[in-house]
Amino acid sequence: MSERITYPVKKREGLGKGANRRLRENGLIPGIFYSPTGENIPVETEVLPFAKLYKSVGKTTVFNLDIEGESKPCMLWKVEMHPFKSRVQHIDFYGVDLDKEVSVKVEIKQVGASKGVKAGGRLEDYRDTVTIVGKPELLPPFITVDVTEMQIEDAVFASALQLPEGVRVVYDNDFVILRVVPGRSSAAEETPEETGKKKKK
């Protein structure tokens, strides 16, 4: 297991919309750390260091949040963006108990070129994310689905996703993630003889 990133933040004193607006005007982002025990600590951080952190850990990787010298295992829970500018407005840092399971959404990434698509089929994806549950340090940043061997009418179900041991997909009823369906050419191919018979009718 790789060493966890440590990310420093400062406690913030001012609360409310006015105080948060002043922070943003000074190149800072307001946030809150939610501890597993229910303690909420208002914090602030700089824009550029946070952008690097977000790119590195996403929303499924545990890191150490250093709040003025006190280190806490943490995940990014919510990153609120400005409605029409590429700017982070607010951050929710979620403190985790490393021995307890958490639930997160992860992206599904496809790799490979399907044999069914090469034969004239069409790959339809019905879900690009799924919810998974597991202990924080076991969670993958994304789930990979290799579609190379998929033929026409083949499907990948949630229950068949490859996950680390100790991690599972959340669902009541199993569901299809993606399927190779017949394309127009493969679904409607007819021989000249069949076409002639239809014209005579």
Side-chain angles (χ1 to χ4, degrees), residues 13-29:
E13 301 298 329
L15 302 176
K17 292 183 178 179
N20 288 348
R21 184 177 63 252
R22 287 190 291 274
L23 279 177
R24 297 183 189 108
E25 289 172 351
N26 287 291
L28 298 170
I29 309 170

Side-chain angles (χ1 to χ4, degrees), residues 2 4-5 56-63 74-76 136 139-141:
S2 60
R4 288 202 298 269
I5 293 172
S56 177
V57 303
K59 291 185 177 180
T60 61
T61 301
V62 179
F63 61 97
C74 180
M75 296 171 69
L76 291 175
L139 301 174

Side-chain angles (χ1 to χ4, degrees), residues 82-113:
H82 190 279
F84 54 87
K85 295 181 180 179
S86 180
R87 187 174 70 194
V88 177
Q89 293 287 90
H90 191 275
I91 310 159
D92 287 347
F93 296 96
Y94 181 64
V96 293
D97 183 332
L98 299 178
D99 293 321
K100 292 184 178 180
E101 292 184 333
V102 295
S103 171
V104 297
K105 275 190 176 181
V106 293
E107 181 185 3
I108 296 171
K109 293 187 176 182
Q110 300 172 18
V111 296

